[in-house]
Amino acid sequence: MREYTPDEDRLWQRKLRAQFPIITGHPELAYLDSAATAQKPQAVLDAVQTYLTTTNANAGRGTYPWANKTTELVERARRRVKEFLGDPDAEHSSVHFTSGTTEGLRTVARDWLVPQLADGDEILVPFSDHRANLEPWQEARRLLAARGVDVHLRALPYQETSGDYDHRALAEAVGPRTRFVAATHVHHVYGGDMNVHRLRAAVGPRVPICLDAAQSVGHLPVDVGDPALDVDFVVFSGHKAMALPGTGAVWARNTRGPVLAPAGWAGTPNTVGVVSLLAALDWLDAAGVDRVARHAVRLATRLTDRLRLLDVYEILGCGASLAAGSPLAEGQRRQGIVTFRHRDIPSDDLGFILFSHGFMVRADSLCQAGADEKDGVVRVSLHVHNTEEEIDRLLAVLESLA
Ligand code: PMP
């Protein structure tokens, strides 16, 4: 990717920020919760309005122009998801629209994995990531147990020092009965890239890998055409990638094992949501996802570098902040997510205090598997509309609380 001068970046960022009506309409507030759901640029709002006022009909049913156009838009969105993930011409791959990552992971578990598992099989799953990427595999195990089929869930090993997956231990954990690996691209609490580009080498060529890409698609490049990212499923939420809530997709490579075929009659798809996803992916591509990611990382680094100087704050994950010029530091590479706690102020109180200054952050246990209420943290998650000035104002408040 080409280098831009700071002035070019500032101009680019200002132009993009201006395209978020909810942001420009509330200059007194700073939205720092894009990991929960992303705000929508005008182009997405326009696409929804245009679709609903000119075309709205059911997809795959009917022969009149609005119905045909709707069907065509859904198919175009399917192709667009493939392109966006670096898989424009794959012969075998497929895209299934869902309501989000949670439903997508459940679809892979219930409709693809369960029918293939036999007594004594093992699957490797993450026990410290989002619960949406643990419960579907636990449910699969329960479903099979009820049929007398005993499947073992083993923990995907983590490195204690860096927090990403321990690829060496993983290679040792994969055995002849390992049938599946579920992993996460970017950790929603620790904010780091889990070094998933090393998974395939660790897991070997045979075992399918499913990637929870809820915190990566729409935030940083995800390229399944990269041989190092030879995963079998990419599951993501459209609403975190600037589309409407209730949208998401599963991309399936369909080369290891059967083709993913969601069971049963699917019913009417969320056509408006799919149209919004099409517009959102277009918008993100035009903005440049790699540039968006670099902006978020820059802001996250600005925040962590100064927060680290204050003893009262504990920053979770990603031991070292990204030093300028070393974006490939070993271990977790921080993306646009910074999670921390204050030594004396409970996290929900800190959330209220920050909102009294206009900052919208997430303050709770972040749906992390195994975490409970007392594990409250504050999470700041950044996107292209956020600015250095917002980070500096936030730091001033956090410093005043130290
Ligand atoms: N996985 C991760 C890593 C997430 O951050 C989230 C959302 N917080 C999910 C899964 C679930 O996504 P959704 O609620 O859109 O289904």
Side-chain angles (χ1 to χ4, degrees):
M1 177 190 157
R2 110 165 166 78
E3 293 295 318
Y4 297 91
T5 65
D7 276 349
E8 282 177 318
D9 269 336
R10 249 190 302 280
L11 202 65
W12 166 85
Q13 194 273 338
R14 222 173 281 157
K15 266 196 199 152
L16 294 184
R17 178 180 165 94
Q19 295 177 39
F20 290 83
I22 199 169
I23 301 293
T24 54
H26 298 90
E28 74 289 6
L29 298 173
Y31 185 71
L32 302 174
D33 201 14
S34 293
T37 199
Q39 298 301 349
K40 323 302 177 202
Q42 186 66 49
V44 171
L45 307 179
D46 288 347
V48 167
Q49 165 95 1
T50 302
Y51 172 74
L52 287 175
T53 51
T54 64
T55 316
N56 181 41
N58 211 321
R61 305 147 170 87
T63 49
Y64 51 90
W66 291 358
N68 291 341
K69 178 83 191 297
T70 297
T71 306
E72 203 267 311
L73 281 169
V74 172
E75 288 318 309
R76 201 192 305 166
R78 237 187 268 285
R79 288 195 302 277
R80 197 71 191 78
V81 169
K82 286 192 186 188
E83 275 166 20
F84 195 77
L85 298 178
D87 170 43
D89 323 301
E91 230 178 286
H92 303 288
S93 68
S94 54
V95 170
H96 306 272
F97 292 114
T98 66
S99 64
T101 306
T102 306
E103 193 205 329
L105 292 168
R106 261 204 189 100
T107 302
V108 176
R110 191 189 49 215
D111 299 340
W112 191 84
L113 186 60
V114 162
Q116 298 181 64
L117 293 178
D119 210 38
D121 281 348
E122 291 178 0
I123 63 177
L124 286 161
V125 300
F127 277 88
S128 298
D129 295 357
H130 198 283
R131 53 190 289 191
N133 198 13
L134 178 60
E135 290 176 12
W137 321 117
Q138 292 173 323
E139 286 160 15
R141 195 185 107 71
R142 276 198 298 275
L143 203 70
L144 287 161
R147 298 178 196 161
V149 176
D150 198 12
V151 165
H152 307 291
L153 298 195
R154 294 186 62 181
L156 200 59
Y158 294 80
Q159 309 205 58
E160 270 181 33
T161 45
S162 59
D164 72 325
Y165 302 129
D166 182 336
H167 299 84
R168 190 169 307 162
L170 177 57
E172 281 161 19
V174 174
R177 297 306 300 268
T178 308
R179 297 281 175 250
F180 188 80
V181 173
T184 303
H185 192 175
V186 171
H187 201 284
H188 72 295
V189 179
Y190 305 132
D193 180 328
M194 300 295 280
N195 240 325
V196 291
H197 291 78
R198 295 174 60 192
L199 280 178
R200 177 51 70 197
V203 165
R206 174 185 61 85
V207 180
I209 300 173
C210 176
L211 204 58
D212 172 346
Q215 295 300 347
S216 53
V217 171
H219 294 255
L220 52 136
V222 180
D223 180 8
V224 297
D226 176 352
L229 199 62
D230 180 12
V231 296
D232 298 272
F233 300 97
V234 172
V235 184
F236 69 95
S237 300
H239 70 91
K240 294 186 200 277
M242 301 187 176
L244 293 185
T247 61
V250 178
W251 170 89
R253 195 183 294 275
N254 293 326
T255 54
R256 285 181 188 87
V259 169
L260 172 66
W265 170 242
T268 299
N270 175 4
T271 49
V272 187
V274 169
V275 164
S276 76
L277 183 58
L278 177 58
L281 299 185
D282 283 345
W283 190 89
L284 283 159
D285 251 349
V289 183
D290 43 4
R291 212 169 169 188
V292 168
R294 287 216 299 210
H295 176 72
V297 169
R298 219 165 18 238
L299 296 185
T301 306
R302 193 178 182 91
L303 178 56
T304 50
D305 281 354
R306 268 174 61 195
L307 203 55
R308 210 177 293 286
L309 304 177
L310 306 172
D311 287 346
V312 291
Y313 294 103
E314 177 203 357
I315 304 177
L316 279 72
C318 291
S321 85
L322 265 185
S326 64
L328 289 171
E330 263 301 292
Q332 279 195 332
R333 290 169 285 150
R334 182 176 297 287
Q335 302 297 327
I337 295 176
V338 181
T339 302
F340 53 91
R341 52 167 81 90
H342 189 290
R343 198 177 52 209
D344 303 318
I345 305 176
S347 293
D348 43 1
D349 291 351
L350 187 52
F352 281 116
I353 295 170
L354 291 177
F355 184 69
S356 74
H357 293 272
F359 298 104
M360 290 179 275
V361 298
R362 178 86 181 263
D364 58 28
S365 58
L366 306 182
C367 310
Q368 186 176 16
D372 62 34
E373 288 307 307
K374 69 176 173 27
D375 299 321
V377 287
V378 166
R379 180 181 69 188
V380 169
S381 52
L382 303 152
H383 220 312
V384 67
H385 48 74
N386 293 120
T387 61
E388 291 182 355
E389 188 262 331
E390 287 174 336
I391 296 298
D392 292 348
R393 276 197 286 128
L394 174 69
L395 277 163
V397 176
L398 292 171
E399 281 163 356
S400 76
L401 298 172

